[in-house]
Amino acid sequence: MPAHHPSHPRSPLAGPSTGPSPPFPIPLSGPIVKGFGRGSRELGIPTANIPLAGLSVGGHEEVESGVYFGWAGVDVDDQGRRQKSGGGEGKVGGVWPMVMSIGWNPFYKNSVRSVEVHILHGFAQDFYGARMNLLILGFVRPEYDYVDKESLVEDIRTDIEVARRSLEREAYARLKDNPYLVQFEGGEHEQEIAK
């Protein structure tokens, strides 16, 4: 059972200043699928979800439940429109900072573990079915239970700021250019997982 949110102040940064340390960075990939529908509707914090099986694809199904930060590459443009790959002409898709939850969401009493990614960018439309490549660079905090929705949202907003500040450090910022983040070919295995 996850603990309730601690009363002490949160650290403004996550991860060592020298950059990711093992087991990070962790690559994770999968198609974006519909989640529980709570991120945008109830919390005002939209998420791009990938199947939990994506953890198995990355070989990290044992990852501790909690909140993480890193970079998300998605085969969409800045508005959320799908990008077609082909011909090797330029970069396809984009890379944005992200904060993500891997876990049970105890506030909602989920019966299944989920992977929910909040991309720190405002898109004009949803992009279900797009491929997302994640580079998880560090652990922000464990999963907590909350007494009310307002406390949950407040903590998520803090997570977003911790992720943003953490990724601004040079050792993390340079990983935005990792070629893996925009390699969207060969996602057949992940597409099968989504079915």
Side-chain angles (χ1 to χ4, degrees):
M1 175 85 178
H4 284 280
H5 179 270
S7 57
H8 59 79
R10 301 258 316 264
S11 173
L13 295 168
S17 61
T18 54
S21 60
F24 305 105
I26 298 174
L28 182 59
S29 182
I32 296 171
V33 298
K34 283 190 181 270
F36 297 105
R38 298 183 294 237
S40 293
R41 186 181 68 242
E42 283 188 36
L43 304 177
I45 302 167
T47 58
N49 306 310
I50 61 174
L52 181 61
L55 287 173
S56 299
V57 171
H60 294 281
E61 58 273 354
E62 79 290 347
V63 168
E64 178 183 352
S65 290
V67 177
Y68 296 83
F69 73 97
W71 296 105
V74 187
D75 63 349
V76 299
D77 66 12
D78 282 346
Q79 298 300 308
R81 293 180 298 247
R82 294 291 303 274
Q83 300 291 287
K84 301 260 191 272
S85 60
E89 298 283 327
K91 187 171 93 170
V92 176
V95 177
W96 296 275
M98 67 83 179
V99 62
M100 66 184 290
S101 167
I102 299 174
W104 300 93
N105 298 316
F107 179 76
Y108 287 104
K109 314 281 188 268
N110 286 1
S111 60
V112 294
R113 202 168 180 223
S114 62
V115 177
E116 300 173 339
V117 180
H118 175 67
I119 299 173
L120 283 67
H121 179 80
F123 294 97
Q125 63 188 43
D126 292 334
F127 39 90
Y128 297 115
R131 176 134 180 233
M132 181 163 56
N133 297 333
L134 302 174
L135 200 57
I136 305 169
L137 301 180
F139 184 75
V140 175
R141 65 171 174 85
E143 186 173 52
Y144 296 127
D145 198 355
Y146 295 88
V147 294
D148 56 41
K149 187 167 56 175
E150 292 73 24
S151 298
L152 169 62
V153 170
E154 180 182 329
D155 232 19
I156 293 171
R157 298 236 180 261
T158 301
D159 296 336
I160 291 168
E161 289 311 310
V162 168
R164 188 181 317 276
R165 282 190 297 270
S166 297
L167 289 167
E168 288 172 350
R169 296 175 294 174
E170 177 57 32
Y172 294 89
R174 69 174 174 241
L175 293 169
K176 179 180 182 179
D177 296 325
N178 187 311
Y180 159 78
L181 290 165
V182 291
Q183 292 173 350
F184 302 113
E185 298 297 322
E188 297 81 13
H189 183 65
E190 290 89 351
Q191 295 295 337
E192 285 301 312
I193 287 170
K195 291 180 183 172

